[in-house]
Amino acid sequence: METIIKQDRQVLWHPYSAIGTAASIYPVASAAGVRLKLMDGSELIDGMSSWWSAIHGYNHPKINAALNKQIQTVSHVMFGGLTHQPAVDLATQLVAITPASLTTVFFSDSGSVAVEVAMKMAIQYWYAQGQPNKSKMLTIRNGYHGDTFGAMSVSDPVNGMHGLFAQGLVSQFFADAPQCGFDDTYSDQDTASVEAILEKHHAQIAAFILEPIVQGAGGMRFYSPRYLSAVRALCDRYDVLLIFDEIATGFGRTGKLFALEHGPVIPDILCLGKALTGGYLTLAATLVDQKVATTISAGDPGVFMHGPTFMANPLACCAGLASLQLLLDSPWQQRIKRISAGLAVGLAPCRQLPQVKDVRVLGAIGVVEMHEPIVMETLQPLFVENGVWLRPFNRLVYLMPPYIISDTDLKTLTNAVVTVLSS
Ligand SMILES: *Cc1c(COP(=O)(O)O)cnc(C)c1O
């Protein structure tokens, strides 16, 4: 185990990290169900679903079998001029389970790229209608949409370090983040800044992009479905497309198959990723309203200008199909409810701790928000000592376990949070 850690330190960069530091790194030997097995033989209960993605846990026999079969058939072909069954079947399924007006699917490799694609579609939609000036995005503060330049430009200016990349970033319009919590009463005051920006700048704005109901990596904030309905109405009034980024919330995490169903509120473009393949392979999808798709295709330059090399990779689409089948065949609503109740009860003692500002739960997402940023180098090893895998950031300790987690394992997770934060 010491050897691989040493080798890792010599050649690898990890997400949001520096090289040459003493920050802990844990080598995984294997993973099955909700357990990660480390190379020293110890086991950790996974509370992160590998960043929202491994909703069925690891090493699932059904997804394994589907992939084994697909690999014997075709692992990859270019998608320019060619097609295949896994892509057609997955797109058909995605169209079937999302709002009826979303009729066309564009596959890409990662969530960030799905967001870039959505933004480019919105710009091309207006360009095709002779309105090239409608090319900016409107979004809300505290959002997170990915790490590529377009996605960064609509992520929170402070968390996203806009100052650092200022020269390369398009400047976009930022409205206030919603202040009404999920169960709070919405008032028009909540969308006042959205309305003010739209009124003044709608001629320049192609689309409003936001994460419905749950703002993820930008602060793990939950907000009222009424806010979304108000945003939809404002977009209609000011001729601005609406893009929902459900890369984190999609596939059941909030208690609905898609967070937009809490309204329901229907976007013109929808981004999916993360749990799309059950955490097996990298794949994302941008779903588009029929009028947007046909307008882009009918106008100048006559095509949508994007095409990733690994677009609609057959293995990834196959994993997506198997994962979706597993989800839809499972009692996922009950599972989410049970996890929700377990998180609420299990995390409640954290409210008594002086350093804790708020504890909140929505669906299978549990959040303990501190007053001050946590020190990852201190907390991470303590969680591991307690047998769980959690990766807090900034002022947040958050849990989004695989849907298959048992009550006992969930209790171990929440107990570890209470113990570590109390120590
Ligand atoms: C993770 C995430 C992204 C970016 O996805 P990647 O696959 O990491 O590029 C975009 N939007 C939201 C809401 C996310 O949670």
Side-chain angles (χ1 to χ4, degrees):
M1 185 143 138
E2 289 312 311
T3 318
I4 184 179
I5 293 172
K6 216 170 136 209
Q7 289 169 332
D8 176 288
R9 290 220 163 106
Q10 268 165 16
V11 291
L12 280 171
W13 216 311
H14 285 264
Y16 287 95
S17 69
I19 63 155
T21 68
S24 324
I25 193 96
Y26 301 92
V28 173
S30 63
V34 299
R35 283 179 166 68
L36 309 179
K37 192 165 188 183
L38 301 186
M39 284 175 92
D40 66 3
S42 61
E43 284 191 343
L44 304 178
I45 295 171
D46 175 33
M48 300 295 291
S49 299
S50 282
W51 281 332
W52 313 83
S53 65
I55 54 175
H56 313 294
Y58 302 87
N59 219 334
H60 197 287
K62 289 217 167 126
I63 307 181
N64 289 3
L67 282 172
N68 275 323
K69 194 163 163 228
Q70 183 60 40
I71 215 166
Q72 310 298 327
T73 316
V74 55
S75 295
H76 185 66
V77 283
M78 62 188 278
F79 211 53
L82 298 172
T83 192
H84 46 81
Q85 208 64 53
V88 171
D89 289 348
L90 181 58
T92 305
Q93 284 259 21
L94 291 176
V95 166
I97 60 173
T98 51
S101 54
L102 303 175
T103 53
T104 313
V105 181
F106 191 101
F107 284 119
S108 56
D109 325 89
S110 73
S112 302
V113 176
V115 167
E116 302 280 338
V117 164
M119 290 166 63
K120 287 173 71 171
M121 281 175 173
I123 292 169
Q124 274 200 237
Y125 172 73
W126 295 111
Y127 187 92
Q129 299 176 82
Q131 298 201 59
N133 287 338
K134 279 175 87 72
S135 64
K136 294 262 186 188
M137 300 292 141
L138 167 60
T139 187
I140 48 179
R141 290 182 186 276
N142 291 107
Y144 176 76
H145 298 284
D147 289 348
T148 53
F149 274 87
M152 260 201 301
S153 77
V154 287
S155 297
D156 187 82
V158 180
N159 300 334
M161 301 282 301
H162 281 205
L164 176 58
F165 300 106
Q167 296 301 322
L169 283 183
V170 174
S171 75
Q172 312 284 20
F173 292 103
F174 285 88
D176 297 338
Q179 297 304 310
C180 47
F182 183 76
D183 291 316
D184 294 349
T185 326
Y186 162 85
S187 91
D188 285 345
Q189 204 45 44
D190 287 305
T191 46
S193 88
V194 170
E195 185 160 6
I197 292 171
L198 281 173
E199 192 174 1
K200 198 159 167 209
H201 302 289
H202 64 94
Q204 286 170 264
I205 298 175
F208 187 166
I209 178 168
L210 78 171
E211 300 152 275
I213 307 298
V214 177
Q215 292 192 284
M220 302 297 294
R221 297 157 55 101
F222 310 148
Y223 67 86
S224 165
R226 291 282 316 280
Y227 179 91
L228 273 190
S229 311
V231 159
R232 176 73 266 184
L234 285 168
C235 286
D236 290 342
R237 188 152 112 222
Y238 288 101
D239 254 350
V240 161
L241 293 178
L242 182 57
I243 303 172
F244 282 172
D245 177 349
E246 290 230 27
I247 290 164
T249 51
F251 305 102
R253 182 57 68 178
T254 68
K256 304 278 188 190
L257 198 50
F258 297 100
L260 61 86
E261 294 170 22
H262 287 284
V265 178
I266 298 172
D268 302 293
I269 304 178
L270 174 66
C271 301
L272 302 175
K274 291 201 162 103
L276 175 57
T277 66
Y280 266 68
L281 285 153
T282 179
L283 183 71
T286 307
L287 279 76
V288 205
D289 179 281
Q290 180 134 42
K291 85 171 176 282
V292 178
T294 52
T295 303
I296 291 171
S297 306
D300 185 32
V303 296
F304 177 55
M305 295 295 287
H306 205 95
T309 304
F310 285 98
M311 183 166 182
N313 172 263
L315 286 174
C317 290
C318 169
L321 270 170
S323 172
L324 199 50
Q325 199 60 53
L326 267 179
L327 180 67
L328 298 177
D329 288 349
S330 74
W332 62 270
Q333 289 99 329
Q334 285 101 297
R335 285 180 177 166
I336 304 289
K337 272 201 192 110
R338 186 176 49 75
I339 296 171
S340 207
L343 288 170
V345 171
L347 296 176
C350 294
R351 288 185 206 278
Q352 312 307 322
L353 303 172
Q355 73 272 36
V356 170
K357 184 177 171 203
D358 188 32
V359 177
R360 51 187 179 267
V361 173
L362 179 69
I365 311 168
V367 182
V368 181
E369 181 175 349
M370 312 293 162
H371 289 289
E372 303 294 331
I374 56 99
V375 184
M376 175 107 72
E377 294 73 46
T378 321
L379 280 203
Q380 183 91 83
L382 292 177
F383 283 128
V384 171
E385 274 169 37
N386 280 272
V388 304
W389 181 247
L390 289 169
R391 182 91 177 153
F393 73 89
N394 201 356
R395 291 187 293 109
L396 303 162
V397 176
Y398 63 115
L399 303 84
M400 59 280 199
Y403 303 167
I404 57 156
I405 194 165
S406 70
D407 286 334
T408 321
D409 287 344
L410 185 59
K411 194 76 201 145
T412 307
L413 269 179
T414 54
N415 281 349
V417 173
V418 176
T419 306
V420 167
L421 295 183
S422 309
S423 64

